[in-house]
Amino acid sequence: MAAIALLALVALIAGQRFSRSSASQAADASQGDASQAVAPFAGGANGNVRAPDISQMTPDQRAERLYDRMMGAFERGQMDTVRMFAPMATEAYQMLDSLTLDQRYDLGRLGEISGDMTLAAAEADTILKKDPTHLLGLILASHVARARNDTQAQRRYLDALLKAEPAERARQRPEYLLHQNDITEALVQARQK
């Protein structure tokens, strides 16, 4: 009888510890998700890296972090994450005092991946009004045309991209270096059509 009572006591204590451990791990995981929402790309692949203090970041840096998180989630096919955080990322850009052409491209891409093609089109138009040969504006406009199944407009923007590329690359704009992969991919697509 004593042995059974002792075994039951040990099982009870082990069960309580296991339950408490699981609950604290779940709480830690949910806190990690919340900190990731506020401070995107804060952790490593397994989330063990402490989140940076975003209160020390400028509004521009916070917007860029959110953009990076959205694009990473989009590239991994995590559309639920994109849908959840796209409004926050969009708002972060819209709260900036004035947007550079690079930031306008980022905002347009956020619109594109979240399905807000009106936003994407508006940002492409704004970029191209300020600089009709800006590579990122042409790329964004071609994406909008493709999403709208307007193959003629897409072809026009891709042709303009091919024509503008040599002179624009010579300008060595910082945003062209930041979005080198987008430019290369668009040029490959333009040459194939």
PDB file of all heavy atoms in Angstrom, residues 73-114:
ATOM      1  N   ALA A  73       8.592  36.782 -44.840  1.00  0.00           N
ATOM      2  CA  ALA A  73       7.411  35.930 -44.682  1.00  0.00           C
ATOM      3  C   ALA A  73       6.798  35.606 -46.039  1.00  0.00           C
ATOM      4  O   ALA A  73       6.401  34.467 -46.302  1.00  0.00           O
ATOM      5  CB  ALA A  73       6.388  36.616 -43.782  1.00  0.00           C
ATOM      6  N   PHE A  74       6.738  36.595 -46.922  1.00  0.00           N
ATOM      7  CA  PHE A  74       6.192  36.387 -48.259  1.00  0.00           C
ATOM      8  C   PHE A  74       7.023  35.363 -49.032  1.00  0.00           C
ATOM      9  O   PHE A  74       6.484  34.452 -49.660  1.00  0.00           O
ATOM     10  CB  PHE A  74       6.134  37.714 -49.015  1.00  0.00           C
ATOM     11  CG  PHE A  74       5.619  37.591 -50.417  1.00  0.00           C
ATOM     12  CD1 PHE A  74       4.274  37.375 -50.660  1.00  0.00           C
ATOM     13  CD2 PHE A  74       6.485  37.707 -51.499  1.00  0.00           C
ATOM     14  CE1 PHE A  74       3.790  37.257 -51.960  1.00  0.00           C
ATOM     15  CE2 PHE A  74       6.020  37.587 -52.797  1.00  0.00           C
ATOM     16  CZ  PHE A  74       4.663  37.360 -53.034  1.00  0.00           C
ATOM     17  N   GLU A  75       8.341  35.500 -48.976  1.00  0.00           N
ATOM     18  CA  GLU A  75       9.226  34.576 -49.689  1.00  0.00           C
ATOM     19  C   GLU A  75       9.129  33.156 -49.144  1.00  0.00           C
ATOM     20  O   GLU A  75       9.324  32.194 -49.884  1.00  0.00           O
ATOM     21  CB  GLU A  75      10.665  35.083 -49.635  1.00  0.00           C
ATOM     22  CG  GLU A  75      10.881  36.317 -50.484  1.00  0.00           C
ATOM     23  CD  GLU A  75      12.209  37.018 -50.232  1.00  0.00           C
ATOM     24  OE1 GLU A  75      13.014  36.504 -49.421  1.00  0.00           O
ATOM     25  OE2 GLU A  75      12.425  38.076 -50.833  1.00  0.00           O
ATOM     26  N   ARG A  76       8.816  33.009 -47.850  1.00  0.00           N
ATOM     27  CA  ARG A  76       8.646  31.685 -47.252  1.00  0.00           C
ATOM     28  C   ARG A  76       7.225  31.152 -47.417  1.00  0.00           C
ATOM     29  O   ARG A  76       6.911  30.068 -46.937  1.00  0.00           O
ATOM     30  CB  ARG A  76       9.011  31.729 -45.759  1.00  0.00           C
ATOM     31  CG  ARG A  76      10.496  31.927 -45.497  1.00  0.00           C
ATOM     32  CD  ARG A  76      10.833  31.813 -44.026  1.00  0.00           C
ATOM     33  NE  ARG A  76      10.171  32.804 -43.196  1.00  0.00           N
ATOM     34  CZ  ARG A  76      10.594  34.045 -42.991  1.00  0.00           C
ATOM     35  NH1 ARG A  76      11.709  34.456 -43.561  1.00  0.00           N
ATOM     36  NH2 ARG A  76       9.924  34.866 -42.214  1.00  0.00           N
ATOM     37  N   GLY A  77       6.349  31.940 -48.074  1.00  0.00           N
ATOM     38  CA  GLY A  77       4.977  31.511 -48.286  1.00  0.00           C
ATOM     39  C   GLY A  77       4.091  31.629 -47.055  1.00  0.00           C
ATOM     40  O   GLY A  77       3.031  31.016 -46.986  1.00  0.00           O
ATOM     41  N   GLN A  78       4.485  32.434 -46.087  1.00  0.00           N
ATOM     42  CA  GLN A  78       3.723  32.604 -44.842  1.00  0.00           C
ATOM     43  C   GLN A  78       2.731  33.750 -45.003  1.00  0.00           C
ATOM     44  O   GLN A  78       2.870  34.816 -44.412  1.00  0.00           O
ATOM     45  CB  GLN A  78       4.682  32.865 -43.672  1.00  0.00           C
ATOM     46  CG  GLN A  78       5.630  31.724 -43.421  1.00  0.00           C
ATOM     47  CD  GLN A  78       6.714  32.069 -42.416  1.00  0.00           C
ATOM     48  OE1 GLN A  78       7.098  33.217 -42.265  1.00  0.00           O
ATOM     49  NE2 GLN A  78       7.200  31.052 -41.736  1.00  0.00           N
ATOM     50  N   MET A  79       1.701  33.483 -45.794  1.00  0.00           N
ATOM     51  CA  MET A  79       0.749  34.541 -46.119  1.00  0.00           C
ATOM     52  C   MET A  79      -0.085  34.974 -44.916  1.00  0.00           C
ATOM     53  O   MET A  79      -0.549  36.102 -44.874  1.00  0.00           O
ATOM     54  CB  MET A  79      -0.146  34.107 -47.276  1.00  0.00           C
ATOM     55  CG  MET A  79       0.603  33.952 -48.600  1.00  0.00           C
ATOM     56  SD  MET A  79       1.608  35.418 -49.025  1.00  0.00           S
ATOM     57  CE  MET A  79       0.336  36.634 -49.278  1.00  0.00           C
ATOM     58  N   ASP A  80      -0.253  34.098 -43.936  1.00  0.00           N
ATOM     59  CA  ASP A  80      -0.982  34.503 -42.735  1.00  0.00           C
ATOM     60  C   ASP A  80      -0.212  35.585 -41.994  1.00  0.00           C
ATOM     61  O   ASP A  80      -0.803  36.554 -41.503  1.00  0.00           O
ATOM     62  CB  ASP A  80      -1.249  33.301 -41.818  1.00  0.00           C
ATOM     63  CG  ASP A  80       0.013  32.525 -41.455  1.00  0.00           C
ATOM     64  OD1 ASP A  80       0.998  32.598 -42.225  1.00  0.00           O
ATOM     65  OD2 ASP A  80       0.007  31.841 -40.416  1.00  0.00           O
ATOM     66  N   THR A  81       1.113  35.467 -41.947  1.00  0.00           N
ATOM     67  CA  THR A  81       1.953  36.491 -41.323  1.00  0.00           C
ATOM     68  C   THR A  81       1.879  37.783 -42.121  1.00  0.00           C
ATOM     69  O   THR A  81       1.776  38.870 -41.542  1.00  0.00           O
ATOM     70  CB  THR A  81       3.419  36.010 -41.223  1.00  0.00           C
ATOM     71  OG1 THR A  81       3.453  34.812 -40.444  1.00  0.00           O
ATOM     72  CG2 THR A  81       4.320  37.048 -40.591  1.00  0.00           C
ATOM     73  N   VAL A  82       1.920  37.672 -43.435  1.00  0.00           N
ATOM     74  CA  VAL A  82       1.833  38.864 -44.295  1.00  0.00           C
ATOM     75  C   VAL A  82       0.514  39.587 -44.053  1.00  0.00           C
ATOM     76  O   VAL A  82       0.491  40.804 -43.838  1.00  0.00           O
ATOM     77  CB  VAL A  82       1.993  38.483 -45.789  1.00  0.00           C
ATOM     78  CG1 VAL A  82       1.693  39.672 -46.686  1.00  0.00           C
ATOM     79  CG2 VAL A  82       3.395  37.949 -46.058  1.00  0.00           C
ATOM     80  N   ARG A  83      -0.586  38.843 -44.050  1.00  0.00           N
ATOM     81  CA  ARG A  83      -1.892  39.466 -43.837  1.00  0.00           C
ATOM     82  C   ARG A  83      -2.000  40.100 -42.448  1.00  0.00           C
ATOM     83  O   ARG A  83      -2.590  41.162 -42.288  1.00  0.00           O
ATOM     84  CB  ARG A  83      -3.011  38.440 -44.037  1.00  0.00           C
ATOM     85  CG  ARG A  83      -3.320  38.158 -45.495  1.00  0.00           C
ATOM     86  CD  ARG A  83      -4.543  37.283 -45.654  1.00  0.00           C
ATOM     87  NE  ARG A  83      -4.319  35.915 -45.197  1.00  0.00           N
ATOM     88  CZ  ARG A  83      -3.760  34.963 -45.928  1.00  0.00           C
ATOM     89  NH1 ARG A  83      -3.382  35.232 -47.169  1.00  0.00           N
ATOM     90  NH2 ARG A  83      -3.586  33.755 -45.466  1.00  0.00           N
ATOM     91  N   MET A  84      -1.404  39.450 -41.461  1.00  0.00           N
ATOM     92  CA  MET A  84      -1.512  39.947 -40.100  1.00  0.00           C
ATOM     93  C   MET A  84      -0.716  41.234 -39.884  1.00  0.00           C
ATOM     94  O   MET A  84      -1.194  42.171 -39.255  1.00  0.00           O
ATOM     95  CB  MET A  84      -1.014  38.886 -39.102  1.00  0.00           C
ATOM     96  CG  MET A  84      -1.186  39.297 -37.645  1.00  0.00           C
ATOM     97  SD  MET A  84      -0.523  38.102 -36.471  1.00  0.00           S
ATOM     98  CE  MET A  84      -1.307  36.604 -36.987  1.00  0.00           C
ATOM     99  N   PHE A  85       0.494  41.298 -40.429  1.00  0.00           N
ATOM    100  CA  PHE A  85       1.386  42.413 -40.125  1.00  0.00           C
ATOM    101  C   PHE A  85       1.484  43.469 -41.222  1.00  0.00           C
ATOM    102  O   PHE A  85       2.081  44.520 -41.009  1.00  0.00           O
ATOM    103  CB  PHE A  85       2.786  41.898 -39.764  1.00  0.00           C
ATOM    104  CG  PHE A  85       2.794  41.098 -38.501  1.00  0.00           C
ATOM    105  CD1 PHE A  85       3.047  39.738 -38.522  1.00  0.00           C
ATOM    106  CD2 PHE A  85       2.538  41.703 -37.286  1.00  0.00           C
ATOM    107  CE1 PHE A  85       3.044  38.994 -37.360  1.00  0.00           C
ATOM    108  CE2 PHE A  85       2.540  40.972 -36.116  1.00  0.00           C
ATOM    109  CZ  PHE A  85       2.787  39.609 -36.147  1.00  0.00           C
ATOM    110  N   ALA A  86       0.901  43.216 -42.385  1.00  0.00           N
ATOM    111  CA  ALA A  86       0.960  44.197 -43.472  1.00  0.00           C
ATOM    112  C   ALA A  86       0.368  45.545 -43.072  1.00  0.00           C
ATOM    113  O   ALA A  86       0.964  46.582 -43.380  1.00  0.00           O
ATOM    114  CB  ALA A  86       0.295  43.654 -44.731  1.00  0.00           C
ATOM    115  N   PRO A  87      -0.775  45.584 -42.387  1.00  0.00           N
ATOM    116  CA  PRO A  87      -1.296  46.897 -41.987  1.00  0.00           C
ATOM    117  C   PRO A  87      -0.331  47.667 -41.082  1.00  0.00           C
ATOM    118  O   PRO A  87      -0.173  48.875 -41.229  1.00  0.00           O
ATOM    119  CB  PRO A  87      -2.602  46.556 -41.241  1.00  0.00           C
ATOM    120  CG  PRO A  87      -3.012  45.238 -41.787  1.00  0.00           C
ATOM    121  CD  PRO A  87      -1.733  44.501 -42.057  1.00  0.00           C
ATOM    122  N   MET A  88       0.345  46.955 -40.183  1.00  0.00           N
ATOM    123  CA  MET A  88       1.310  47.603 -39.296  1.00  0.00           C
ATOM    124  C   MET A  88       2.500  48.144 -40.091  1.00  0.00           C
ATOM    125  O   MET A  88       2.953  49.269 -39.867  1.00  0.00           O
ATOM    126  CB  MET A  88       1.811  46.600 -38.245  1.00  0.00           C
ATOM    127  CG  MET A  88       2.757  47.194 -37.232  1.00  0.00           C
ATOM    128  SD  MET A  88       3.569  45.959 -36.168  1.00  0.00           S
ATOM    129  CE  MET A  88       2.206  45.030 -35.537  1.00  0.00           C
ATOM    130  N   ALA A  89       2.984  47.344 -41.031  1.00  0.00           N
ATOM    131  CA  ALA A  89       4.124  47.772 -41.843  1.00  0.00           C
ATOM    132  C   ALA A  89       3.748  48.954 -42.729  1.00  0.00           C
ATOM    133  O   ALA A  89       4.511  49.922 -42.843  1.00  0.00           O
ATOM    134  CB  ALA A  89       4.625  46.595 -42.695  1.00  0.00           C
ATOM    135  N   THR A  90       2.575  48.892 -43.327  1.00  0.00           N
ATOM    136  CA  THR A  90       2.104  49.985 -44.177  1.00  0.00           C
ATOM    137  C   THR A  90       1.972  51.267 -43.372  1.00  0.00           C
ATOM    138  O   THR A  90       2.412  52.337 -43.802  1.00  0.00           O
ATOM    139  CB  THR A  90       0.756  49.607 -44.823  1.00  0.00           C
ATOM    140  OG1 THR A  90       0.950  48.429 -45.616  1.00  0.00           O
ATOM    141  CG2 THR A  90       0.228  50.716 -45.694  1.00  0.00           C
ATOM    142  N   GLU A  91       1.390  51.155 -42.195  1.00  0.00           N
ATOM    143  CA  GLU A  91       1.219  52.329 -41.339  1.00  0.00           C
ATOM    144  C   GLU A  91       2.567  52.916 -40.916  1.00  0.00           C
ATOM    145  O   GLU A  91       2.713  54.134 -40.845  1.00  0.00           O
ATOM    146  CB  GLU A  91       0.412  51.957 -40.102  1.00  0.00           C
ATOM    147  CG  GLU A  91       0.080  53.139 -39.230  1.00  0.00           C
ATOM    148  CD  GLU A  91      -0.786  52.749 -38.036  1.00  0.00           C
ATOM    149  OE1 GLU A  91      -1.524  51.755 -38.121  1.00  0.00           O
ATOM    150  OE2 GLU A  91      -0.701  53.452 -37.020  1.00  0.00           O
ATOM    151  N   ALA A  92       3.552  52.054 -40.670  1.00  0.00           N
ATOM    152  CA  ALA A  92       4.881  52.538 -40.281  1.00  0.00           C
ATOM    153  C   ALA A  92       5.466  53.428 -41.372  1.00  0.00           C
ATOM    154  O   ALA A  92       6.081  54.461 -41.083  1.00  0.00           O
ATOM    155  CB  ALA A  92       5.809  51.367 -39.989  1.00  0.00           C
ATOM    156  N   TYR A  93       5.266  53.055 -42.641  1.00  0.00           N
ATOM    157  CA  TYR A  93       5.756  53.886 -43.747  1.00  0.00           C
ATOM    158  C   TYR A  93       4.918  55.151 -43.897  1.00  0.00           C
ATOM    159  O   TYR A  93       5.452  56.227 -44.153  1.00  0.00           O
ATOM    160  CB  TYR A  93       5.761  53.094 -45.063  1.00  0.00           C
ATOM    161  CG  TYR A  93       6.999  52.256 -45.217  1.00  0.00           C
ATOM    162  CD1 TYR A  93       7.024  50.940 -44.810  1.00  0.00           C
ATOM    163  CD2 TYR A  93       8.168  52.797 -45.751  1.00  0.00           C
ATOM    164  CE1 TYR A  93       8.171  50.168 -44.925  1.00  0.00           C
ATOM    165  CE2 TYR A  93       9.316  52.040 -45.875  1.00  0.00           C
ATOM    166  CZ  TYR A  93       9.317  50.722 -45.460  1.00  0.00           C
ATOM    167  OH  TYR A  93      10.458  49.976 -45.582  1.00  0.00           O
ATOM    168  N   GLN A  94       3.617  55.021 -43.740  1.00  0.00           N
ATOM    169  CA  GLN A  94       2.752  56.178 -43.920  1.00  0.00           C
ATOM    170  C   GLN A  94       2.941  57.217 -42.812  1.00  0.00           C
ATOM    171  O   GLN A  94       2.590  58.378 -42.998  1.00  0.00           O
ATOM    172  CB  GLN A  94       1.288  55.725 -44.001  1.00  0.00           C
ATOM    173  CG  GLN A  94       1.022  54.975 -45.293  1.00  0.00           C
ATOM    174  CD  GLN A  94      -0.352  54.331 -45.352  1.00  0.00           C
ATOM    175  OE1 GLN A  94      -0.958  54.028 -44.335  1.00  0.00           O
ATOM    176  NE2 GLN A  94      -0.827  54.094 -46.568  1.00  0.00           N
ATOM    177  N   MET A  95       3.517  56.819 -41.693  1.00  0.00           N
ATOM    178  CA  MET A  95       3.762  57.748 -40.591  1.00  0.00           C
ATOM    179  C   MET A  95       5.058  58.546 -40.765  1.00  0.00           C
ATOM    180  O   MET A  95       5.300  59.498 -40.025  1.00  0.00           O
ATOM    181  CB  MET A  95       3.799  56.989 -39.261  1.00  0.00           C
ATOM    182  CG  MET A  95       2.427  56.478 -38.847  1.00  0.00           C
ATOM    183  SD  MET A  95       2.463  55.417 -37.379  1.00  0.00           S
ATOM    184  CE  MET A  95       3.297  56.442 -36.197  1.00  0.00           C
ATOM    185  N   LEU A  96       5.891  58.156 -41.729  1.00  0.00           N
ATOM    186  CA  LEU A  96       7.143  58.874 -41.950  1.00  0.00           C
ATOM    187  C   LEU A  96       6.844  60.256 -42.520  1.00  0.00           C
ATOM    188  O   LEU A  96       5.896  60.433 -43.279  1.00  0.00           O
ATOM    189  CB  LEU A  96       8.051  58.083 -42.891  1.00  0.00           C
ATOM    190  CG  LEU A  96       8.492  56.711 -42.380  1.00  0.00           C
ATOM    191  CD1 LEU A  96       9.335  56.009 -43.442  1.00  0.00           C
ATOM    192  CD2 LEU A  96       9.249  56.811 -41.072  1.00  0.00           C
ATOM    193  N   ASP A  97       7.682  61.223 -42.157  1.00  0.00           N
ATOM    194  CA  ASP A  97       7.446  62.599 -42.590  1.00  0.00           C
ATOM    195  C   ASP A  97       7.431  62.736 -44.107  1.00  0.00           C
ATOM    196  O   ASP A  97       6.528  63.313 -44.687  1.00  0.00           O
ATOM    197  CB  ASP A  97       8.503  63.535 -41.990  1.00  0.00           C
ATOM    198  CG  ASP A  97       8.302  63.705 -40.492  1.00  0.00           C
ATOM    199  OD1 ASP A  97       7.152  63.578 -40.027  1.00  0.00           O
ATOM    200  OD2 ASP A  97       9.291  63.944 -39.790  1.00  0.00           O
ATOM    201  N   SER A  98       8.467  62.252 -44.739  1.00  0.00           N
ATOM    202  CA  SER A  98       8.512  62.283 -46.204  1.00  0.00           C
ATOM    203  C   SER A  98       9.204  61.011 -46.653  1.00  0.00           C
ATOM    204  O   SER A  98      10.154  60.555 -46.029  1.00  0.00           O
ATOM    205  CB  SER A  98       9.263  63.514 -46.710  1.00  0.00           C
ATOM    206  OG  SER A  98      10.591  63.488 -46.237  1.00  0.00           O
ATOM    207  N   LEU A  99       8.705  60.455 -47.722  1.00  0.00           N
ATOM    208  CA  LEU A  99       9.223  59.177 -48.203  1.00  0.00           C
ATOM    209  C   LEU A  99      10.224  59.384 -49.330  1.00  0.00           C
ATOM    210  O   LEU A  99       9.972  60.170 -50.247  1.00  0.00           O
ATOM    211  CB  LEU A  99       8.079  58.298 -48.702  1.00  0.00           C
ATOM    212  CG  LEU A  99       7.048  57.858 -47.665  1.00  0.00           C
ATOM    213  CD1 LEU A  99       5.926  57.081 -48.340  1.00  0.00           C
ATOM    214  CD2 LEU A  99       7.683  57.022 -46.586  1.00  0.00           C
ATOM    215  N   THR A 100      11.324  58.653 -49.254  1.00  0.00           N
ATOM    216  CA  THR A 100      12.276  58.626 -50.359  1.00  0.00           C
ATOM    217  C   THR A 100      11.688  57.724 -51.446  1.00  0.00           C
ATOM    218  O   THR A 100      10.701  57.008 -51.209  1.00  0.00           O
ATOM    219  CB  THR A 100      13.631  58.054 -49.901  1.00  0.00           C
ATOM    220  OG1 THR A 100      13.438  56.680 -49.521  1.00  0.00           O
ATOM    221  CG2 THR A 100      14.213  58.849 -48.743  1.00  0.00           C
ATOM    222  N   LEU A 101      12.299  57.727 -52.614  1.00  0.00           N
ATOM    223  CA  LEU A 101      11.826  56.845 -53.679  1.00  0.00           C
ATOM    224  C   LEU A 101      11.997  55.381 -53.268  1.00  0.00           C
ATOM    225  O   LEU A 101      11.151  54.533 -53.591  1.00  0.00           O
ATOM    226  CB  LEU A 101      12.564  57.145 -54.985  1.00  0.00           C
ATOM    227  CG  LEU A 101      12.315  58.541 -55.573  1.00  0.00           C
ATOM    228  CD1 LEU A 101      13.065  58.705 -56.893  1.00  0.00           C
ATOM    229  CD2 LEU A 101      10.840  58.824 -55.749  1.00  0.00           C
ATOM    230  N   ASP A 102      13.055  55.082 -52.540  1.00  0.00           N
ATOM    231  CA  ASP A 102      13.279  53.731 -52.039  1.00  0.00           C
ATOM    232  C   ASP A 102      12.154  53.329 -51.089  1.00  0.00           C
ATOM    233  O   ASP A 102      11.597  52.226 -51.186  1.00  0.00           O
ATOM    234  CB  ASP A 102      14.631  53.662 -51.328  1.00  0.00           C
ATOM    235  CG  ASP A 102      14.912  52.295 -50.725  1.00  0.00           C
ATOM    236  OD1 ASP A 102      14.530  51.284 -51.339  1.00  0.00           O
ATOM    237  OD2 ASP A 102      15.515  52.235 -49.644  1.00  0.00           O
ATOM    238  N   GLN A 103      11.781  54.203 -50.173  1.00  0.00           N
ATOM    239  CA  GLN A 103      10.703  53.903 -49.234  1.00  0.00           C
ATOM    240  C   GLN A 103       9.363  53.780 -49.951  1.00  0.00           C
ATOM    241  O   GLN A 103       8.520  52.965 -49.573  1.00  0.00           O
ATOM    242  CB  GLN A 103      10.642  54.968 -48.142  1.00  0.00           C
ATOM    243  CG  GLN A 103      11.833  54.909 -47.204  1.00  0.00           C
ATOM    244  CD  GLN A 103      11.959  56.131 -46.326  1.00  0.00           C
ATOM    245  OE1 GLN A 103      11.527  57.232 -46.694  1.00  0.00           O
ATOM    246  NE2 GLN A 103      12.570  55.951 -45.162  1.00  0.00           N
ATOM    247  N   ARG A 104       9.173  54.558 -50.993  1.00  0.00           N
ATOM    248  CA  ARG A 104       7.942  54.437 -51.773  1.00  0.00           C
ATOM    249  C   ARG A 104       7.879  53.066 -52.471  1.00  0.00           C
ATOM    250  O   ARG A 104       6.814  52.450 -52.562  1.00  0.00           O
ATOM    251  CB  ARG A 104       7.808  55.561 -52.790  1.00  0.00           C
ATOM    252  CG  ARG A 104       7.513  56.894 -52.122  1.00  0.00           C
ATOM    253  CD  ARG A 104       6.963  57.924 -53.082  1.00  0.00           C
ATOM    254  NE  ARG A 104       6.573  59.113 -52.347  1.00  0.00           N
ATOM    255  CZ  ARG A 104       5.426  59.252 -51.692  1.00  0.00           C
ATOM    256  NH1 ARG A 104       4.559  58.270 -51.688  1.00  0.00           N
ATOM    257  NH2 ARG A 104       5.146  60.371 -51.054  1.00  0.00           N
ATOM    258  N   TYR A 105       9.015  52.605 -52.940  1.00  0.00           N
ATOM    259  CA  TYR A 105       9.061  51.264 -53.535  1.00  0.00           C
ATOM    260  C   TYR A 105       8.713  50.212 -52.487  1.00  0.00           C
ATOM    261  O   TYR A 105       7.911  49.307 -52.738  1.00  0.00           O
ATOM    262  CB  TYR A 105      10.442  50.998 -54.140  1.00  0.00           C
ATOM    263  CG  TYR A 105      10.592  49.599 -54.683  1.00  0.00           C
ATOM    264  CD1 TYR A 105       9.987  49.226 -55.881  1.00  0.00           C
ATOM    265  CD2 TYR A 105      11.338  48.643 -54.000  1.00  0.00           C
ATOM    266  CE1 TYR A 105      10.116  47.939 -56.378  1.00  0.00           C
ATOM    267  CE2 TYR A 105      11.472  47.353 -54.492  1.00  0.00           C
ATOM    268  CZ  TYR A 105      10.864  47.007 -55.676  1.00  0.00           C
ATOM    269  OH  TYR A 105      10.991  45.728 -56.173  1.00  0.00           O
ATOM    270  N   ASP A 106       9.320  50.344 -51.297  1.00  0.00           N
ATOM    271  CA  ASP A 106       9.027  49.394 -50.218  1.00  0.00           C
ATOM    272  C   ASP A 106       7.535  49.389 -49.893  1.00  0.00           C
ATOM    273  O   ASP A 106       6.919  48.329 -49.761  1.00  0.00           O
ATOM    274  CB  ASP A 106       9.816  49.745 -48.956  1.00  0.00           C
ATOM    275  CG  ASP A 106      11.317  49.524 -49.095  1.00  0.00           C
ATOM    276  OD1 ASP A 106      11.748  48.933 -50.109  1.00  0.00           O
ATOM    277  OD2 ASP A 106      12.053  49.946 -48.183  1.00  0.00           O
ATOM    278  N   LEU A 107       6.944  50.569 -49.767  1.00  0.00           N
ATOM    279  CA  LEU A 107       5.519  50.679 -49.462  1.00  0.00           C
ATOM    280  C   LEU A 107       4.677  50.065 -50.580  1.00  0.00           C
ATOM    281  O   LEU A 107       3.701  49.349 -50.327  1.00  0.00           O
ATOM    282  CB  LEU A 107       5.146  52.144 -49.232  1.00  0.00           C
ATOM    283  CG  LEU A 107       3.698  52.444 -48.858  1.00  0.00           C
ATOM    284  CD1 LEU A 107       3.250  51.663 -47.624  1.00  0.00           C
ATOM    285  CD2 LEU A 107       3.521  53.950 -48.627  1.00  0.00           C
ATOM    286  N   GLY A 108       5.063  50.304 -51.817  1.00  0.00           N
ATOM    287  CA  GLY A 108       4.354  49.707 -52.949  1.00  0.00           C
ATOM    288  C   GLY A 108       4.451  48.195 -52.955  1.00  0.00           C
ATOM    289  O   GLY A 108       3.472  47.498 -53.245  1.00  0.00           O
ATOM    290  N   ARG A 109       5.621  47.681 -52.621  1.00  0.00           N
ATOM    291  CA  ARG A 109       5.795  46.222 -52.547  1.00  0.00           C
ATOM    292  C   ARG A 109       4.951  45.630 -51.426  1.00  0.00           C
ATOM    293  O   ARG A 109       4.385  44.543 -51.574  1.00  0.00           O
ATOM    294  CB  ARG A 109       7.262  45.867 -52.338  1.00  0.00           C
ATOM    295  CG  ARG A 109       8.118  46.055 -53.567  1.00  0.00           C
ATOM    296  CD  ARG A 109       7.896  44.973 -54.609  1.00  0.00           C
ATOM    297  NE  ARG A 109       8.537  43.746 -54.164  1.00  0.00           N
ATOM    298  CZ  ARG A 109       8.056  42.526 -54.370  1.00  0.00           C
ATOM    299  NH1 ARG A 109       6.934  42.346 -55.015  1.00  0.00           N
ATOM    300  NH2 ARG A 109       8.707  41.458 -53.934  1.00  0.00           N
ATOM    301  N   LEU A 110       4.860  46.346 -50.304  1.00  0.00           N
ATOM    302  CA  LEU A 110       3.987  45.880 -49.218  1.00  0.00           C
ATOM    303  C   LEU A 110       2.548  45.795 -49.710  1.00  0.00           C
ATOM    304  O   LEU A 110       1.835  44.838 -49.412  1.00  0.00           O
ATOM    305  CB  LEU A 110       4.090  46.805 -48.006  1.00  0.00           C
ATOM    306  CG  LEU A 110       5.389  46.728 -47.204  1.00  0.00           C
ATOM    307  CD1 LEU A 110       5.457  47.848 -46.186  1.00  0.00           C
ATOM    308  CD2 LEU A 110       5.518  45.370 -46.525  1.00  0.00           C
ATOM    309  N   GLY A 111       2.126  46.814 -50.462  1.00  0.00           N
ATOM    310  CA  GLY A 111       0.789  46.781 -51.041  1.00  0.00           C
ATOM    311  C   GLY A 111       0.626  45.594 -51.979  1.00  0.00           C
ATOM    312  O   GLY A 111      -0.386  44.884 -51.937  1.00  0.00           O
ATOM    313  N   GLU A 112       1.628  45.367 -52.801  1.00  0.00           N
ATOM    314  CA  GLU A 112       1.566  44.272 -53.770  1.00  0.00           C
ATOM    315  C   GLU A 112       1.433  42.912 -53.082  1.00  0.00           C
ATOM    316  O   GLU A 112       0.548  42.125 -53.431  1.00  0.00           O
ATOM    317  CB  GLU A 112       2.817  44.293 -54.653  1.00  0.00           C
ATOM    318  CG  GLU A 112       2.867  43.179 -55.668  1.00  0.00           C
ATOM    319  CD  GLU A 112       4.192  43.104 -56.401  1.00  0.00           C
ATOM    320  OE1 GLU A 112       5.033  44.001 -56.242  1.00  0.00           O
ATOM    321  OE2 GLU A 112       4.382  42.115 -57.134  1.00  0.00           O
ATOM    322  N   ILE A 113       2.294  42.631 -52.108  1.00  0.00           N
ATOM    323  CA  ILE A 113       2.269  41.290 -51.502  1.00  0.00           C
ATOM    324  C   ILE A 113       1.062  41.080 -50.600  1.00  0.00           C
ATOM    325  O   ILE A 113       0.667  39.945 -50.362  1.00  0.00           O
ATOM    326  CB  ILE A 113       3.577  40.971 -50.740  1.00  0.00           C
ATOM    327  CG1 ILE A 113       3.753  41.850 -49.508  1.00  0.00           C
ATOM    328  CG2 ILE A 113       4.777  41.043 -51.676  1.00  0.00           C
ATOM    329  CD1 ILE A 113       4.895  41.434 -48.596  1.00  0.00           C
ATOM    330  N   SER A 114       0.468  42.176 -50.128  1.00  0.00           N
ATOM    331  CA  SER A 114      -0.715  42.036 -49.269  1.00  0.00           C
ATOM    332  C   SER A 114      -2.016  42.136 -50.064  1.00  0.00           C
ATOM    333  O   SER A 114      -3.097  42.039 -49.491  1.00  0.00           O
ATOM    334  CB  SER A 114      -0.691  43.090 -48.163  1.00  0.00           C
ATOM    335  OG  SER A 114      -0.820  44.390 -48.699  1.00  0.00           O
TER     336      SER A 114
END
